[in-house]
Each structure stands twice: as C-alpha cells, then as structure tokens.
Amino acid sequence: MKFRFQVHILLTGILAVFFATQAKAQSDVEYRAEIGGGAGMTTYYGDFSSGLFSNMQPGGAVLLRVTPNPHMAFRVSGMYTKLSGDATNVKTHYELLKDMHYSFDTSLADLSVTFEYNFWAYGTGKEYRGARRVAPFISIGLGATYASNKNHTWDMANSGNVESSSKNVFTANVPIGFGVKYRIGDRLNLSLDWQMHFSLSDQLDGMKDPYGISSSGMFKNTDCYSTLMLALTYSFSAKCSTCHKE
C-alpha cells in the first residue's frame, strides 16, 4: 500500500512537470519585429581600390526588422561609415593623373530597405513548428547613399604642391548579400551578414572617369562598397500566442 502511494506521488509529480513544461511552451510567441544595432567594416571598390579587403574602415548601424513569417523579413537600416583610397596603391595607369598623386577620404551615410529570405524557418522552435535557432539567409534591396568627399592631389612635377577639394554626392544603391542569424534567447537575435552595395555614382571617391573615357549604363564604371556587419537585435510586438502550434 505504501509502495502504491509512492508510485502515485511520483506519477503525479511527472505529470505536473510535463504540463508545466507544455504551458511554458504554449506561452512562447512569435514577434512581429526586431530593433537593434550593429558594428562592422566597410570596403571601397572603385577606380582606386587595390584589393578585395584593402582600406577597410569601421562603421556602425541601427536597424529595424519586420518579420511577417519565420521565412521572411524586411529590414530598414541606417549606417554611417567611411571610404578611403590612394592612387599610388593601384596598378592601373591613369593618364589624367600622370605625375600626380591622388587620395581621398569619404564620410558615407547609407539608408536602405532590404528583403531577407531565410532558407529555413527561424525561431526558437517553440513558437513555430520546425523553426531553428540558426538560419542562413540571402538579401536584396534598395538604398540611398550620401557621401561627403575630401580629396587631395599632389603635383609631383611642381614641387609637390597640394590641392584639396571637397564634394558631396547623393545617389542610389542596390544592396545584395547573404548572412546567418542565431536566436540567442526568446527575444535576443544575433546576425552576421555581408552585403555589396552597387551605387549609381562614379564619384564616391571624388573623381569621375579617371580613364578619360565616357561610359553609359546603370552600373557601368560606378563605385561600390561592401559591408560586413555583426548586429544584435531585440524582438518585440508579440503575435497570436496560439498560432502555428498544431
């Protein structure tokens, strides 16, 4: 009789733990949006770039991500960074810069809206059946770039006289990239992504067509820049707490 009573108590305890766990799982919900910030590196690609990862500059960003479902997201991000380059570090010969030394330093602000597609459902696995904490994704979007350029030209044939000038450029860009997301906790998210921003301007470096040859076309002979960004975001705005449980 005592043994049966002990078994009854044990079974009652197991059932209590089971139902408590189920209740907690049912309380986990999806969230409509994320907000946060990130930091990373930016690389310039143009007439005066000397390598794939040359002249990398630090940058920071704030972002808002709207998640209509675990496979898709729309991200709005604002970023501030710098671009830099030097004509002496490239092998290309520019006739317009004969006997000249040219360098530039650009402050750049970027505002973009991108669509992200997760290759599998992203989440904790509790709020959406089959969701995973780690999900790779691809992205594409449209952005606006404002560049404030300061450049310096040395006349090597005239006692090294230096001429400095500044130029402001506003143009559009098309960001395309890929990355991976990791769900740290129920509301914390970590993401690492790389994007190439194809701009419509050839003057992010302060100089247009140093070849001296006119060109036409949306992305022909234009400057680009890539970003490698690590971001931390916080999920908010809960959806229906009982959806997608069955």
Side-chain angles (χ1 to χ4, degrees), residues 3-135:
F3 175 75
R4 292 179 61 186
F5 178 75
Q6 290 175 337
V7 171
H8 178 73
I9 293 297
L10 179 61
L11 291 176
T12 302
I14 293 174
L15 289 174
V17 172
F18 174 78
F19 284 114
T21 303
Q22 290 298 308
K24 182 180 184 302
Q26 291 296 314
S27 67
D28 292 319
V29 298
E30 289 184 75
Y31 295 94
R32 295 184 178 90
E34 304 168 21
I35 191 169
M41 304 297 291
T42 305
T43 305
Y44 154 79
Y45 302 101
D47 299 311
F48 306 110
S49 57
S50 56
L52 190 60
F53 299 106
S54 62
N55 297 318
M56 297 183 73
Q57 300 290 325
V62 292
L63 62 96
L64 172 69
R65 183 181 280 122
V66 179
T67 55
N69 62 63
H71 279 284
M72 300 178 184
F74 295 93
R75 184 177 71 180
V76 180
S77 60
M79 176 183 64
Y80 177 81
T81 186
K82 286 183 174 292
L83 306 178
S84 66
D86 196 318
T88 60
N89 296 328
V90 299
K91 297 180 180 180
T92 305
H93 173 74
Y94 297 113
E95 186 64 26
L96 293 180
L97 296 177
K98 185 178 180 180
D99 298 325
M100 306 290 281
H101 178 174
Y102 181 81
S103 66
F104 72 93
D105 183 30
T106 299
S107 297
L108 184 145
D110 178 288
L111 179 64
S112 61
V113 179
T114 56
F115 169 75
E116 298 175 347
Y117 178 77
N118 304 319
F119 284 102
W120 49 72
Y122 173 66
T124 62
K126 302 173 185 177
E127 77 286 56
Y128 189 92
R129 185 180 297 274
R132 305 183 187 183
R133 287 187 179 270
V134 179

Side-chain angles (χ1 to χ4, degrees), residues 81-237:
T81 186
K82 286 183 174 292
L83 306 178
S84 66
D86 196 318
T88 60
N89 296 328
V90 299
K91 297 180 180 180
T92 305
H93 173 74
Y94 297 113
E95 186 64 26
L96 293 180
L97 296 177
K98 185 178 180 180
D99 298 325
M100 306 290 281
H101 178 174
Y102 181 81
S103 66
F104 72 93
D105 183 30
T106 299
S107 297
L108 184 145
D110 178 288
L111 179 64
S112 61
V113 179
T114 56
F115 169 75
E116 298 175 347
Y117 178 77
N118 304 319
F119 284 102
W120 49 72
Y122 173 66
T124 62
K126 302 173 185 177
E127 77 286 56
Y128 189 92
R129 185 180 297 274
R132 305 183 187 183
R133 287 187 179 270
V134 179
F137 66 92
I138 55 175
S139 62
I140 187 171
L142 183 64
T145 301
Y146 177 79
S148 179
N149 177 277
K150 294 182 179 180
N151 57 73
H152 309 280
T153 304
W154 286 265
D155 187 347
M156 307 304 291
N158 188 19
S159 302
N161 287 344
V162 179
E163 294 183 8
S164 299
S165 63
S166 60
K167 182 180 296 184
N168 297 328
V169 177
F170 181 77
T171 186
N173 76 81
V174 177
I176 301 176
F178 60 90
V180 62
K181 301 174 183 176
Y182 173 60
R183 193 69 170 263
I184 301 175
D186 289 341
R187 292 200 178 202
L188 285 180
N189 309 272
L190 190 67
S191 65
L192 177 66
D193 72 295
W194 179 88
Q195 283 189 337
M196 177 65 80
H197 297 252
F198 297 93
S199 83
L200 302 183
S201 173
D202 188 34
Q203 299 188 67
L204 298 185
D205 51 22
M207 183 171 290
K208 182 177 181 180
D209 290 332
Y211 293 99
I213 302 174
S214 61
S215 59
S216 61
M218 183 173 292
F219 296 107
K220 188 174 182 180
N221 196 32
T222 60
D223 297 326
C224 307
Y225 53 96
S226 69
T227 57
L228 180 64
M229 191 70 62
L230 181 68
L232 181 68
T233 59
Y234 178 79
S235 299
F236 67 98
S237 185

